[in-house]
Amino acid sequence: METAGFIIVLGCKKCGKCDGVCETGALTHVDGIAMVDHEKCNLCMQCVKVCPNKALVYLD
Ligand code: SF4
Ligand code: SF4
């Protein structure tokens, strides 16, 4: 059985640095705050790498 985790958003600073890095459409912004759709996220970690504020956190 697959044991994939998911990305959570903690303390997004609305900097916009993660805009456009998500290729699956899982990462969107509401009033500037990042949100992740776990159904679409493939755990590529691009958003985690690009966030300068460590606001995107992988939990397994
Ligand atoms: S881990 Fe990848 S697929 Fe998931 S939200 Fe971040 S950039 Fe998108
Ligand atoms: S890069 Fe990080 S702090 Fe900036 S908008 Fe994205 S999640 Fe928020």
Side-chain angles (χ1 to χ4, degrees):
M1 189 174 139
E2 199 172 321
T3 56
F6 52 91
I7 307 290
I8 60 166
V9 183
L10 286 176
C12 174
K13 300 278 197 285
K14 306 183 183 181
C15 71
K17 294 265 170 62
C18 60
D19 274 353
V21 302
C22 181
E23 296 181 350
T24 67
L27 184 66
T28 56
H29 294 80
V30 175
D31 293 336
I33 297 176
M35 296 189 64
V36 176
D37 181 340
H38 303 303
E39 300 276 318
K40 294 180 180 172
C41 177
N42 66 3
L43 301 174
C44 72
M45 301 295 160
Q46 288 308 309
C47 60
V48 174
K49 287 179 196 160
V50 81
C51 177
N53 303 301
K54 297 188 168 29
L56 295 156
V57 178
Y58 174 72
L59 288 184
D60 65 10

